[in-house]
Amino acid sequence: MHQPWFDNGAFPLFLAPMAGVTDPVFRSLCKEMGADVVVTEFVSAEGVLACWERNRRYTEFEEVHRPIGIQLFGADGRNMGEAAKIIVNELRPDFIDINCGCPVSRVVGKNGGSSLLKNLPLLASVARGVILAVGDLVPVTAKIRTGWDADSICTPETCRILTDEGISMITIHGRTRAQQYSGKADWDMIDFCARAASVPIIGNGDVNSAQMVEHIRNTSAVRGIMIGRAAMENPWIFSEAKHYLTHGEHLPRKSIRDKWDLIIRHARLSLESGRYGDELHTMKFMRARFVAYTKGFPGAKDLRSRLVHIKTMDELIDLAQSV
C-alpha cells in the first residue's frame, strides 16, 4: 500500500512511539521542529476491545500530526485485527504499527511486544490478523528488535515473515530485548536486513546527532530513521538533521535559555490540554520530561532534585529564572 512519506526519494525522520512521552503535545512540538512522521504511544488491543472510550486517549491525534501511525500491541491476531478495525474506522490514522519490540515487562508478560520474537509463528499470526482486518484501508507496519537475546538473533527471519504476511514497512531497533537500552545498537544488522528486504526498513537506535543521520543515510540501505530518546532531550534534532542534510552545515546550537523556554512551553501546553488533570497532576506527569530536557545542564544533578518536586507552573517559572 502507498506510503507517501517515501515519495520522490524522501528520507523521512520518524518520532518513535514512547509510552508516557509521545502524547499529543509532544508530537505537536516534534512536528513543529521537523519530524516527518510520528507514532503514538502504544495501546493494548485488549484494552481497546474491553473499553474503547477509556483507551482511545492513547490514540487521539490532531490533523497537524499527520502522517501519523497508531501503535497497537497484543498477542492474539483476531483481537489485534478487531482493535485495529475500531481504531481505523474511528480515527483514520495514516497507518497501524504493530509493536513487536517493546521490552517492558508489563507488555512482555502479556506475550506482546518483544516476546513475539520468541514465537515467530505467533508473530506471523498477529501480523496476519491485523492485515486481514485493515490492510486494505491503511498500511500496516511493524517495529521489532534484533531478537530476544544475543543467543536468539532473528532479525532476517522476522523481516521475511512479516514481509510475507504483507507488512508494508519495518522499523528495526538494533538491540535485543535483553539489552533493553544498554550497549550499542547493531546498525550492521539493520543495514543487512535493509539490503535484503522488499519493503522499506527504518533504522532505530542511538541516533543522537545530525551527523549520524547523514552517516546512516549515506552508508546504509535504510529508507528512513526513527529517533526516540534523543528527541526527549532535544526535539530540535529533527530540524538540525534536516538542515544538515540539505545544506551541509549546522544550525546554531540552542542556548540553555532556549531550552528553558521550551520546557515552560511544553508544561503550559500540557496544562492547557487538560489531559493529565489539574495543575499538580500535570506537573507530576511533566517531571520526567523536565529531567530529560535538562540533561547536560550546568549543575544538572542539583537541578533534577528540584525539578522532581515541582508542583506548579509558577514554581517552574521561578526555577527557570533563578538558574
Side-chain angles (χ1 to χ4, degrees):
M1 182 167 283
H2 182 223
Q3 299 171 84
W5 40 94
F6 295 119
D7 284 353
N8 302 315
F11 187 82
L13 303 180
F14 291 70
L15 172 65
M18 295 179 283
V21 179
T22 50
D23 65 1
V25 170
F26 189 66
R27 294 197 302 265
S28 292
L29 292 171
C30 289
K31 285 292 288 188
E32 178 184 309
M33 296 178 189
D36 296 301
V37 186
V38 300
V39 187
T40 66
E41 304 172 79
F42 61 68
V43 61
S44 161
E46 305 300 329
V48 169
L49 295 178
C51 189
W52 167 237
E53 289 307 317
R54 186 176 69 187
N55 284 280
R56 70 178 292 152
R57 69 191 301 269
Y58 298 109
T59 66
E60 291 174 336
F61 61 89
E62 301 172 19
E63 284 299 305
V64 295
H65 296 163
R66 291 189 186 276
I68 184 169
I70 292 178
Q71 192 180 71
L72 194 61
F73 84 88
D76 183 294
R78 181 175 179 179
N79 287 352
M80 285 281 283
E82 289 302 311
K85 193 178 297 182
I86 290 171
I87 291 169
V88 170
N89 288 339
E90 290 274 342
L91 301 173
R92 298 291 176 181
D94 297 285
F95 60 100
I96 292 289
D97 189 63
I98 303 173
N99 183 331
C100 309
C102 179
V104 176
S105 295
R106 68 184 178 91
V107 174
V108 169
K110 297 177 181 178
N111 294 322
S114 56
S115 69
L116 294 172
L117 302 174
K118 295 194 296 181
N119 187 341
L120 296 185
L122 178 60
L123 178 145
S125 73
V126 166
R128 189 180 313 127
V130 177
I131 290 165
L132 286 173
V134 300
D136 60 334
L137 301 174
V138 295
V140 179
T141 69
K143 187 170 189 284
I144 68 173
R145 283 181 171 239
T146 56
W148 180 256
D149 56 29
D151 296 324
S152 57
I153 301 298
C154 58
T155 333
E157 185 178 4
T158 304
C159 289
R160 178 187 60 76
I161 289 171
L162 290 171
T163 301
D164 287 348
E165 293 296 340
I167 289 292
S168 298
M169 177 186 81
I170 301 169
T171 300
I172 304 174
H173 183 148
R175 289 183 173 86
T176 65
R177 191 269 174 174
Q179 284 181 280
Q180 299 279 326
Y181 297 98
S182 65
K184 291 185 177 180
D186 187 350
W187 278 91
D188 289 337
M189 176 58 75
I190 296 172
D191 182 45
F192 177 84
C193 293
R195 293 182 187 280
S198 59
V199 300
I201 299 294
I202 306 302
N204 175 224
D206 298 338
V207 179
N208 58 15
S209 69
Q211 299 99 308
M212 187 169 183
V213 171
E214 182 192 48
H215 175 75
I216 292 167
R217 186 186 69 168
N218 292 344
T219 62
S220 81
V222 299
R223 294 283 302 280
I225 288 176
M226 181 172 281
I227 302 173
R229 288 177 295 162
M232 291 168 57
E233 300 168 15
N234 174 33
W236 290 284
I237 189 171
F238 298 105
S239 56
E240 291 168 353
K242 286 179 142 182
H243 186 85
Y244 193 77
L245 290 174
T246 303
H247 302 288
E249 62 182 18
H250 293 288
L251 287 170
R253 294 187 66 178
K254 296 298 180 182
S255 68
I256 296 295
R257 184 49 50 195
D258 290 329
K259 294 180 180 180
W260 272 116
D261 288 344
L262 177 62
I263 290 168
I264 292 169
R265 183 180 173 210
H266 190 167
R268 183 171 284 121
L269 288 171
S270 294
L271 182 58
E272 291 172 354
S273 75
R275 185 177 180 83
Y276 302 104
D278 62 17
E279 185 172 24
L280 175 61
H281 287 91
T282 300
M283 292 302 112
K284 284 183 175 181
F285 167 79
M286 285 296 301
R287 287 170 182 171
R289 306 281 63 74
F290 300 154
V291 170
Y293 278 136
T294 55
K295 184 177 180 180
F297 276 31
K301 184 177 180 181
D302 176 64
L303 182 59
R304 286 195 297 271
S305 69
R306 299 169 69 182
L307 285 167
V308 296
H309 293 97
I310 290 290
K311 296 179 180 178
T312 68
M313 278 297 307
D314 285 343
E315 287 180 13
L316 179 65
I317 293 169
D318 287 345
L319 177 58
Q321 293 175 342
S322 68
V323 295

